[in-house]
Amino acid sequence: FLNATGEQDMNMALAANPGSNMWTEIDLEGVPLWWITIWEINDRLYEGDHDVVAEVVGHHEAIRIPDGRTIMLAEYAEIDRSKEMECYHGVLDWYRILTTQYDTPLPLDRVQKVPQSNYDMVLEFAKDRSLSHVWKSSENIYITQEEQDEYSYNVLYFNLLMLALEPIYYGDSTNDRTHSNAFFYDPTDDNLFISVRSQDRVYKLNWSGYHDEAQAVDRAPGEVIYNLRDFAIFDTDYNPITLDYDNGVSFFSHQHCVEMYAVEGRPDLKLMTLFDNNNTPVMRNGNDYHSKALAAIVNEARQEVVILFHRELPNFCFALGTSQVLENGNFWYTCGTHDSKLGRSAIFGSHTTGYELSPDGDIIYSVGGYATTYRAWRLRSLYGAVDYMPVKHKPLPIPAAWDV
C-alpha cells in the first residue's frame, strides 16, 4: 500500500486537491491494482448515514487481511453539541457544501470555528471497495478529559514555542483524544488489537461479533474485549510488578506498533511486542531520555502479563517506532526519529536506528541512517512480506500457575 496524503483537514486542501488522501495497492511493476480516495470513503459514509466525515484516511495504518478485506484507520471530528445552533455537525456540513448537497453553503468562518475534538475510526472495505464496517473510537473507548489526564498521564513537560510556563497536556493542546497509531489483526480469532497513543492503552476489539451459547452473551462487532492496562503485570519469576507512573514505572507510554503473535500449542497465550516511546516518564522526570523495547507473554484467559524484557534503548524516540519477532527467535525494534546530532531538545530528529535484541533483551545488532522512518521491517528477501508465524512456546518462561 502507498498513501498519498495531502493536508490533514477537510477544508481548502481537499477542496483544491480531490486526489489527496488516496490508498493504493500496486504490483512490483508499479501497476495500480486497488485504490480508494477520501472522497469515495466519505461518499460511502454519507450514504450509510454514519453521521461522520473522514478528515484523514490511512493516516497511520492500513492492512489487507487474508480473505481480501482491507482495514484502515481514519480520523474524524466530534463537534461540541452545545454549538450546534452555530453550525450543525461542522465537518459534515462542510462535506455537504463541497459535494453541493446544500443550495446555500454556510459561511466558511462559521464552519472553521466550531469547537471539536479529533478521534479515530477503523474502516473495513470488501474487495469491491464497499464499506462493510465502521468503528468509531468516541463511541467505544471514549473517556472524559479529566479521566484521560488522571489515568493515562499524557502530561508533556515541554513547550516547543516557549509560549507558556505551564505543562502542555498532549490531548488538550491538540484536541487529539485518541490518536490511534497502529493495529494488529489476529487471524486466530478474527479480532483486532489497536494502539491508542493519547491514552497510553492497547485495546482488543471483537471485530466480527459472536454469540456465547453457554453464557448467553452477544458481543457486538467492534466492542472492546479488554484493555491491556487492566491486566496484572509480573516479571519472569512471576513476582507482581507495581506500576507507578508518577515515578516513571510504566507498562508503556505513547506506544507504537503493538504486535500479538500466537504461541504454538497454547491458544490461551500471545507473545506481545511493542515499541514503548516512554514519553510520560521522560517528560515527568526529565532525566531518563530513553525509549524502550517491550516483549511480554499475555495470558488472555487469566488477564495476566509476564514481561520478558523492557529494555532501555540508547535513544529517545518521541514518536514513531516498530516492533517485530524475527524468524530466528530474536526481536526487532526501530527508533523512527531521534535526536542524534541535534541534541535532546530536538523532539523530531533526523536519525533512525534499528536494533535486533536477543530473547533476553540484549542488543546484538544495530543499523542507522539519516532519515525519519515510520515503520522499518525485517524481511526474508527483497520481495518478502512480514511474517506473523506462531512462536514456539518451549523457550518462553511460562509460569507454572498458567498450566493449571
Side-chain angles (χ1 to χ4, degrees):
F1 275 114
L2 299 177
N3 187 12
T5 306
E7 296 295 327
Q8 294 194 5
D9 58 54
M10 266 295 294
N11 298 329
M12 298 310 295
L14 287 185
N17 181 11
S20 119
N21 276 257
M22 174 187 293
W23 274 93
T24 307
E25 178 188 2
I26 62 174
D27 65 15
L28 293 177
E29 295 180 347
V31 177
L33 305 176
W34 189 96
W35 60 90
I36 194 164
T37 68
I38 190 171
W39 292 103
E40 293 175 280
I41 290 172
N42 280 321
D43 284 344
R44 285 152 179 72
L45 289 169
Y46 183 70
E47 292 164 1
D49 196 28
H50 291 288
D51 197 31
V52 72
V53 169
E55 295 191 338
V56 180
V57 299
H59 61 98
H60 282 91
E61 196 83 281
I63 58 173
R64 173 70 50 74
I65 59 179
D67 62 2
R69 287 177 289 165
T70 300
I71 304 175
M72 66 174 63
L73 280 165
E75 183 182 275
Y76 65 99
E78 284 284 332
I79 304 304
D80 185 343
R81 300 288 176 161
S82 67
K83 304 295 184 181
E84 62 183 358
M85 294 299 294
E86 178 180 354
C87 175
Y88 178 69
H89 286 200
V91 291
L92 184 58
D93 279 334
W94 181 239
Y95 171 68
R96 289 168 175 163
I97 292 168
L98 295 178
T99 54
T100 66
Q101 300 287 344
Y102 281 163
D103 294 330
T104 306
L106 294 172
L108 180 60
D109 60 341
R110 287 173 61 189
V111 176
Q112 291 178 330
K113 292 180 181 178
V114 175
Q116 65 184 46
S117 290
N118 295 328
Y119 294 95
D120 301 298
M121 57 183 165
V122 181
L123 307 175
E124 180 186 280
F125 298 90
K127 290 181 180 180
D128 62 0
R129 297 189 295 179
S130 60
L131 185 59
S132 52
H133 190 38
V134 177
W135 180 87
K136 302 177 186 177
S137 60
S138 62
E139 295 179 355
N140 290 275
I141 60 173
Y142 176 74
I143 58 176
T144 66
Q145 182 173 315
E146 291 75 21
E147 287 174 327
Q148 179 169 337
D149 293 340
E150 179 178 359
Y151 295 117
S152 61
Y153 300 96
N154 285 316
V155 182
L156 302 185
Y157 282 91
F158 71 93
N159 188 321
L160 294 177
L161 300 178
M162 300 302 293
L163 297 178
L165 298 178
E166 295 298 319
I168 293 178
Y169 290 77
Y170 182 85
D172 299 350
S173 62
T174 64
N175 292 321
D176 195 357
R177 307 307 299 168
T178 49
H179 196 98
S180 304
N181 57 24
F183 52 64
F184 179 80
Y185 173 77
D186 187 348
T188 64
D189 56 14
D190 195 35
N191 289 327
L192 206 64
F193 293 89
I194 186 166
S195 166
V196 183
R197 175 175 163 93
S198 288
Q199 294 184 0
D200 296 351
R201 296 178 183 183
V202 170
Y203 295 92
K204 183 175 184 177
L205 309 180
N206 180 271
W207 196 242
S208 58
Y210 74 91
H211 175 73
D212 187 327
E213 192 70 35
Q215 300 186 19
V217 173
D218 287 294
R219 192 181 295 278
E223 183 179 339
V224 172
I225 298 175
Y226 60 71
N227 169 16
L228 198 56
R229 281 186 57 168
D230 293 334
F231 283 32
I233 314 297
F234 299 87
D235 63 18
T236 52
D237 293 324
Y238 208 50
N239 298 313
I241 298 175
T242 301
L243 303 180
D244 185 352
Y245 288 86
D246 287 325
N247 292 317
V249 182
S250 65
F251 193 6
F252 46 76
S253 170
H254 278 42
Q255 71 289 337
H256 277 75
C257 196
V258 58
E259 304 284 321
M260 289 284 190
Y261 296 80
V263 177
E264 201 172 67
R266 292 296 300 262
D268 57 327
L269 305 183
K270 305 287 185 187
L271 177 59
M272 180 185 75
T273 64
L274 178 145
F275 186 86
D276 181 6
N277 295 86
N278 201 36
N279 288 15
T280 301
V282 165
M283 297 304 176
R284 281 184 177 273
N285 297 336
N287 59 358
D288 181 23
Y289 284 80
H290 299 276
S291 293
K292 295 182 178 181
L294 174 62
I297 316 171
V298 179
N299 188 318
E300 296 184 303
R302 295 175 64 100
Q303 294 208 343
E304 295 178 349
V305 172
V306 167
I307 295 181
L308 302 181
F309 58 79
H310 202 180
R311 172 70 155 78
E312 282 190 353
L313 298 172
N315 316 109
F316 173 51
C317 184
F318 171 80
L320 316 184
T322 310
S323 72
Q324 181 185 5
V325 173
L326 301 178
E327 187 180 19
N328 62 8
N330 292 335
F331 298 80
W332 172 254
Y333 299 87
T334 55
C335 295
T337 176
H338 63 83
D339 35 42
S340 80
K341 297 186 301 183
L342 302 179
R344 288 180 175 176
S345 61
I347 299 301
F348 290 99
S350 59
H351 224 152
T352 293
T353 303
Y355 299 94
E356 182 173 342
L357 273 61
S358 72
D360 294 324
D362 298 323
I363 296 175
I364 58 178
Y365 168 81
S366 67
V367 62
Y370 291 101
T372 297
T373 307
Y374 188 76
R375 296 275 199 262
W377 304 105
R378 293 278 293 277
L379 306 178
R380 293 183 181 182
S381 72
L382 181 61
Y383 303 105
V386 178
D387 294 325
Y388 297 108
M389 63 286 179
V391 298
K392 297 184 183 301
H393 73 277
K394 289 185 179 180
L396 298 176
I398 297 175
W402 288 4
D403 294 326
V404 177

